[in-house]
């Protein structure tokens, strides 16, 4: 769960039996190390970032966490 905030989605997915790691630059900055994932969940993250450069950085960070042929799930509202 990339951008997990206080961990609601992380906890929910873990309670469903999924193996979940979490990261958030403010709430859990030490959550993810040098690991590759099949799936990265990035929900309501891009909509709270202030600049295009920061958005590009987050997208690149997520890409670097993915194994070849893997998935990213996210839902964002960019007003």
């Amino acid at each position: 769960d990339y951008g997990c905030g206080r961990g609601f989605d992380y906890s929910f997915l873990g309670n469903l039996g999924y193996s979940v790691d979490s990261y958030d630059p403010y709430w859990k900055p030490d959550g993810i190390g040098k690991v590759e994932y099949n799936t990265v969940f990035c929900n309501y993250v891009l909509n709270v970032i202030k600049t295009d450069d920061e958005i590009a950085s987050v997208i690149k960070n997520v890409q670097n966490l993915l194994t070849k042929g893997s998935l990213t799930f996210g839902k964002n509202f960019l007003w």
Side-chain angles (χ1 to χ4, degrees):
D1 185 359
Y2 190 97
C4 66
R6 295 184 182 177
F8 174 79
D9 292 329
Y10 166 81
S11 297
F12 178 77
L13 292 168
N15 287 334
L16 290 176
Y18 292 97
S19 174
V20 184
D21 289 333
S22 60
Y23 167 78
D24 189 278
Y26 301 103
W27 298 100
K28 196 169 182 199
D30 58 347
I32 294 177
K34 299 253 182 199
V35 180
E36 289 187 328
Y37 296 92
N38 298 342
T39 304
V40 173
F41 183 77
C42 188
N43 198 33
Y44 295 106
V45 173
L46 300 180
N47 59 304
V48 298
I49 298 174
K50 305 282 187 224
T51 69
D52 291 343
D53 287 342
E54 288 177 292
I55 290 172
S57 177
V58 167
I59 291 170
K60 183 162 181 67
N61 289 341
V62 169
Q63 287 175 327
N64 289 335
L65 292 170
L66 294 168
T67 58
K68 186 175 181 177
S70 50
L71 301 171
T72 299
F73 292 98
K75 183 175 184 181
N76 296 287
F77 293 103
L78 299 174
W79 305 109

